[in-house]
Coordinates of all heavy atoms in Angstrom, one line a residue:
T104 N 175.9 94.9 113.5 CA 175.1 95.2 114.7 C 173.7 94.6 114.5 O 173.3 94.2 113.4 CB 174.9 96.7 114.9 OG1 174.3 97.3 113.8 CG2 176.3 97.4 115.2
F105 N 173.0 94.5 115.6 CA 171.6 94.1 115.5 C 170.7 95.1 114.7 O 169.8 94.7 114.1 CB 171.0 93.8 116.9 CG 171.6 92.6 117.6 CD1 172.3 92.8 118.7 CD2 171.3 91.4 117.1 CE1 172.9 91.6 119.4 CE2 171.9 90.2 117.7 CZ 172.6 90.4 118.9
S106 N 171.1 96.3 114.8 CA 170.4 97.4 114.0 C 170.5 97.1 112.5 O 169.6 97.3 111.7 CB 171.0 98.8 114.3 OG 170.7 99.2 115.6
E107 N 171.7 96.6 112.0 CA 171.8 96.2 110.6 C 170.9 95.0 110.3 O 170.3 95.0 109.3 CB 173.3 95.9 110.3 CG 173.5 95.6 108.8 CD 174.9 95.1 108.5 OE1 175.5 94.4 109.3 OE2 175.4 95.5 107.4
M108 N 170.9 94.0 111.2 CA 170.0 92.9 111.0 C 168.5 93.3 110.9 O 167.8 92.9 110.0 CB 170.2 91.9 112.1 CG 171.5 91.2 112.2 SD 171.7 90.2 113.7 CE 170.4 89.0 113.5
A109 N 168.1 94.3 111.8 CA 166.7 94.8 111.8 C 166.5 95.5 110.4 O 165.4 95.4 109.9 CB 166.5 95.7 112.9
T110 N 167.4 96.2 110.0 CA 167.3 97.0 108.7 C 167.0 96.1 107.5 O 166.0 96.3 106.8 CB 168.6 97.8 108.4 OG1 168.8 98.7 109.5 CG2 168.5 98.6 107.1
Y111 N 167.8 95.0 107.4 CA 167.6 94.1 106.3 C 166.3 93.2 106.5 O 165.6 92.9 105.5 CB 168.8 93.1 106.2 CG 170.0 93.8 105.5 CD1 171.2 93.8 106.2 CD2 169.8 94.4 104.3 CE1 172.3 94.5 105.6 CE2 170.9 95.1 103.7 CZ 172.2 95.1 104.4 OH 173.2 95.7 103.8
K112 N 165.9 93.0 107.8 CA 164.7 92.2 108.0 C 163.5 93.1 107.5 O 162.5 92.5 107.0 CB 164.5 91.9 109.5 CG 163.2 91.2 109.8 CD 163.1 90.9 111.3 CE 161.8 90.1 111.6 NZ 161.6 89.8 113.0
Y113 N 163.5 94.4 107.7 CA 162.4 95.2 107.4 C 162.4 95.6 105.9 O 161.3 95.5 105.3 CB 162.4 96.5 108.2 CG 161.2 97.3 108.1 CD1 160.1 97.1 108.9 CD2 161.1 98.4 107.1 CE1 158.9 97.9 108.8 CE2 160.0 99.1 107.0 CZ 158.9 98.9 107.8 OH 157.7 99.7 107.7
F114 N 163.5 95.9 105.3 CA 163.6 96.5 104.0 C 164.0 95.4 102.9 O 163.9 95.7 101.7 CB 164.5 97.7 103.9 CG 164.0 98.9 104.6 CD1 164.4 99.2 105.9 CD2 163.1 99.7 104.0 CE1 163.9 100.4 106.5 CE2 162.6 100.9 104.6 CZ 163.0 101.2 105.8
G115 N 164.5 94.3 103.4 CA 165.1 93.3 102.4 C 166.5 93.8 102.0 O 167.0 94.8 102.6
H116 N 167.1 93.0 101.1 CA 168.5 93.3 100.9 C 168.8 94.1 99.6 O 170.0 94.4 99.3 CB 169.3 91.9 100.7 CG 169.5 91.3 102.1 ND1 168.5 90.7 102.8 CD2 170.6 91.1 102.8 CE1 169.0 90.2 103.9 NE2 170.3 90.4 103.9
S117 N 167.7 94.5 98.9 CA 167.9 95.3 97.7 C 167.9 96.8 98.1 O 167.2 97.6 97.5 CB 166.9 95.0 96.7 OG 167.0 93.7 96.2
I118 N 168.7 97.2 99.1 CA 168.8 98.6 99.5 C 170.3 98.9 99.7 O 171.1 98.0 99.6 CB 168.1 98.7 100.9 CG1 168.7 97.8 102.0 CG2 166.6 98.5 100.8 CD1 168.3 98.1 103.4
K119 N 170.5 100.2 100.0 CA 171.9 100.6 100.4 C 171.8 100.9 101.8 O 171.2 101.9 102.2 CB 172.3 101.8 99.5 CG 173.7 102.2 99.9 CD 174.2 103.4 99.0 CE 175.6 103.8 99.3 NZ 176.1 105.0 98.5
A120 N 172.4 100.0 102.7 CA 172.4 100.2 104.1 C 173.6 101.0 104.5 O 174.8 100.6 104.2 CB 172.3 98.9 104.8
I121 N 173.5 102.1 105.3 CA 174.6 103.0 105.6 C 174.7 103.1 107.1 O 173.9 103.6 107.8 CB 174.3 104.4 105.0 CG1 174.0 104.3 103.5 CG2 175.4 105.4 105.4 CD1 173.5 105.6 102.9
P122 N 175.9 102.5 107.6 CA 176.1 102.6 109.1 C 176.4 104.0 109.5 O 177.2 104.7 108.9 CB 177.3 101.6 109.3 CG 178.0 101.7 107.9 CD 177.0 101.9 106.9
E123 N 175.9 104.4 110.7 CA 176.2 105.7 111.3 C 176.8 105.5 112.7 O 176.5 104.4 113.3 CB 174.9 106.5 111.4 CG 174.3 106.9 110.0 CD 175.1 107.8 109.2 OE1 176.0 108.5 109.8 OE2 174.9 107.8 108.0
L124 N 177.5 106.5 113.2 CA 178.2 106.3 114.4 C 177.3 106.4 115.7 O 177.7 105.8 116.7 CB 179.2 107.5 114.5 CG 180.4 107.4 113.6 CD1 181.3 108.7 113.7 CD2 181.3 106.2 113.8
S125 N 176.1 107.0 115.5 CA 175.3 107.2 116.7 C 173.8 107.3 116.3 O 173.5 107.6 115.1 CB 175.7 108.4 117.5 OG 175.4 109.6 116.8
I126 N 172.9 107.2 117.2 CA 171.5 107.4 117.0 C 171.3 108.9 116.5 O 170.5 109.1 115.6 CB 170.7 107.1 118.2 CG1 170.7 105.6 118.5 CG2 169.3 107.6 118.1 CD1 170.1 105.2 119.8
D127 N 172.0 109.8 117.1 CA 171.9 111.2 116.7 C 172.2 111.4 115.2 O 171.5 112.1 114.5 CB 172.9 112.1 117.5 CG 172.7 111.9 119.0 OD1 172.7 110.8 119.5 OD2 172.6 112.9 119.7
H128 N 173.3 110.7 114.7 CA 173.7 110.8 113.3 C 172.6 110.2 112.4 O 172.4 110.7 111.3 CB 175.0 110.0 113.1 CG 176.2 110.8 113.5 ND1 176.6 110.9 114.8 CD2 177.1 111.6 112.8 CE1 177.7 111.6 114.9 NE2 178.0 112.1 113.6
V129 N 171.9 109.1 112.8 CA 170.9 108.5 112.0 C 169.7 109.5 111.8 O 169.3 109.8 110.7 CB 170.3 107.2 112.7 CG1 169.1 106.7 111.9 CG2 171.4 106.1 112.8
F130 N 169.3 110.2 112.9 CA 168.3 111.2 112.8 C 168.7 112.3 111.9 O 167.9 112.8 111.1 CB 167.9 111.7 114.2 CG 166.9 111.0 115.0 CD1 167.2 109.8 115.6 CD2 165.6 111.4 115.0 CE1 166.2 109.1 116.3 CE2 164.6 110.8 115.7 CZ 164.9 109.6 116.4
A131 N 169.9 112.8 112.1 CA 170.4 113.9 111.3 C 170.5 113.6 109.8 O 170.1 114.5 109.0 CB 171.8 114.3 111.8
E132 N 170.9 112.4 109.4 CA 170.9 112.0 108.0 C 169.5 112.0 107.4 O 169.3 112.4 106.2 CB 171.7 110.7 107.8 CG 173.1 110.8 108.2 CD 173.9 111.6 107.3 OE1 174.3 111.2 106.2 OE2 174.1 112.8 107.6
V133 N 168.6 111.5 108.1 CA 167.2 111.4 107.6 C 166.6 112.8 107.5 O 166.0 113.2 106.5 CB 166.3 110.5 108.5 CG1 164.9 110.5 107.9 CG2 166.8 109.1 108.6
E134 N 166.8 113.6 108.5 CA 166.3 115.0 108.5 C 166.9 115.8 107.3 O 166.2 116.6 106.7 CB 166.6 115.7 109.8 CG 165.8 115.2 111.0 CD 166.2 115.9 112.3 OE1 166.7 117.1 112.2 OE2 165.9 115.4 113.4
A135 N 168.2 115.6 107.0 CA 168.8 116.3 106.0 C 168.5 115.8 104.6 O 168.8 116.4 103.6 CB 170.4 116.3 106.2
G136 N 167.8 114.6 104.5 CA 167.4 114.1 103.2 C 168.6 113.3 102.5 O 168.5 112.9 101.4
V137 N 169.6 113.1 103.3 CA 170.8 112.3 102.7 C 170.3 110.8 102.5 O 170.8 110.2 101.6 CB 172.0 112.4 103.7 CG1 173.1 111.5 103.2 CG2 172.4 113.8 103.8
V138 N 169.5 110.3 103.4 CA 169.0 109.0 103.3 C 167.4 109.0 103.3 O 166.8 110.1 103.7 CB 169.4 108.0 104.4 CG1 171.0 107.9 104.4 CG2 169.0 108.6 105.8
D139 N 166.8 108.0 102.9 CA 165.3 107.9 102.8 C 164.7 107.6 104.2 O 163.7 108.2 104.5 CB 164.9 106.8 101.8 CG 165.4 107.1 100.4 OD1 165.0 108.2 99.8 OD2 166.2 106.4 99.9
Y140 N 165.3 106.7 104.9 CA 164.8 106.3 106.2 C 166.0 106.0 107.1 O 167.1 105.8 106.7 CB 163.9 105.1 106.1 CG 162.6 105.3 105.3 CD1 162.6 105.0 103.9 CD2 161.5 105.8 105.9 CE1 161.4 105.2 103.2 CE2 160.3 106.0 105.2 CZ 160.3 105.7 103.8 OH 159.2 106.0 103.1
G141 N 165.6 105.9 108.4 CA 166.6 105.4 109.4 C 166.0 104.3 110.2 O 164.8 104.2 110.4
V142 N 166.9 103.5 110.8 CA 166.5 102.4 111.7 C 167.2 102.6 113.1 O 168.5 102.6 113.1 CB 166.8 101.0 111.1 CG1 166.5 99.9 112.2 CG2 165.9 100.8 109.9
V143 N 166.5 102.7 114.2 CA 167.1 103.0 115.5 C 166.4 102.1 116.5 O 165.2 101.8 116.4 CB 166.9 104.4 115.9 CG1 167.8 105.3 115.1 CG2 165.5 104.9 115.8
P144 N 167.1 101.6 117.5 CA 166.5 100.8 118.6 C 165.7 101.7 119.5 O 166.0 102.9 119.7 CB 167.7 100.2 119.3 CG 168.8 101.2 119.1 CD 168.6 101.8 117.7
I145 N 164.6 101.2 120.0 CA 163.7 102.0 120.9 C 163.5 101.3 122.3 O 163.4 102.0 123.3 CB 162.3 102.3 120.3 CG1 161.5 103.2 121.1 CG2 161.6 101.0 120.0 CD1 162.1 104.6 121.3
E146 N 163.5 100.0 122.3 CA 163.3 99.3 123.6 C 163.7 97.9 123.5 O 163.6 97.3 122.5 CB 161.9 99.5 124.2 CG 160.8 98.8 123.3 CD 159.5 98.8 123.9 OE1 159.4 98.9 125.2 OE2 158.5 98.9 123.2
N147 N 164.1 97.3 124.7 CA 164.4 95.9 124.8 C 163.5 95.3 125.8 O 163.2 95.9 126.8 CB 165.9 95.7 125.2 CG 166.3 94.3 125.4 OD1 166.3 93.8 126.5 ND2 166.6 93.6 124.3
S148 N 163.1 94.0 125.6 CA 162.2 93.4 126.5 C 162.8 93.1 127.8 O 162.0 92.9 128.8 CB 161.7 92.1 125.8 OG 162.8 91.2 125.6
T149 N 164.1 93.1 127.9 CA 164.7 92.8 129.2 C 165.1 94.1 129.9 O 164.9 94.2 131.1 CB 166.0 91.9 129.0 OG1 165.6 90.7 128.4 CG2 166.6 91.6 130.3
E150 N 165.7 95.0 129.2 CA 166.3 96.2 129.8 C 165.5 97.5 129.6 O 165.9 98.5 130.1 CB 167.7 96.4 129.2 CG 168.7 95.3 129.7 CD 168.9 95.3 131.2 OE1 169.1 96.4 131.8 OE2 168.7 94.2 131.8
G151 N 164.5 97.5 128.9 CA 163.6 98.6 128.8 C 164.0 99.6 127.7 O 164.6 99.2 126.7
A152 N 163.6 100.9 127.8 CA 163.7 101.9 126.8 C 165.2 102.3 126.4 O 166.1 102.2 127.3 CB 163.0 103.1 127.2

Side-chain angles (χ1 to χ4, degrees):
T104 60
F105 289 115
S106 292
E107 183 183 38
M108 292 173 61
T110 299
Y111 285 124
K112 179 180 180 180
Y113 188 88
F114 288 100
H116 285 72
S117 296
I118 60 168
K119 184 178 180 182
I121 303 168
E123 297 294 340
L124 292 174
S125 68
I126 290 171
D127 307 52
H128 280 82
V129 175
F130 272 79
E132 293 295 276
V133 180
E134 288 180 21
V137 177
V138 298
D139 299 295
Y140 296 94
V142 174
V143 291
I145 185 65
E146 64 175 328
N147 176 263
S148 59
T149 303
E150 290 301 307

